[in-house]
Each structure stands twice: as structure tokens, then as C-alpha cells.
Amino acid sequence: MEQKIDEWDKCKAIDATGAKFAYTFIPTGIGLVIKVKCDCCCRVLDITEW
């Protein structure tokens, strides 16, 4: 998963802590949906593995 995020990430962090992602975990009946949102450019990456 980290490799997918590193390939997708093109933005620079805008705050002093270096944080720039919001992670969303959605449990479903068939598995776990995982989405990563970039706080800088508002793009969303779905890294769900079925």
C-alpha cells in the first residue's frame, strides 16, 4: 500500500508536521474499503485490495 501511495503522491506538505493525507477506512460486508485523500490538492486514491 505504501508503494501505491508513493507513486500517486506528487504534492509537498504544507504544514510544519509534514502531514498531508487523510485516511478513510470503511468496513463493508465483503471487506475493508481504504481511501487516501491528499489535503493539498484534494485528490482521492482508492487502495482497497479485494
Side-chain angles (χ1 to χ4, degrees):
M1 287 188 216
E2 287 180 43
Q3 183 180 8
K4 287 182 183 179
I5 294 171
D6 289 339
E7 291 172 4
W8 172 77
D9 179 29
K10 306 245 188 298
C11 298
K12 302 264 188 232
I14 55 175
D15 67 0
T17 64
K20 59 182 170 179
F21 297 129
Y23 295 87
T24 305
F25 300 92
I26 305 169
T28 68
I30 59 173
L32 185 66
V33 175
I34 304 169
K35 295 187 179 191
V36 181
K37 180 182 177 191
C38 178
D39 291 336
C40 300
C41 65
C42 296
R43 293 184 303 151
V44 176
L45 173 66
D46 186 349
I47 56 173
T48 304
E49 295 180 2
W50 299 103

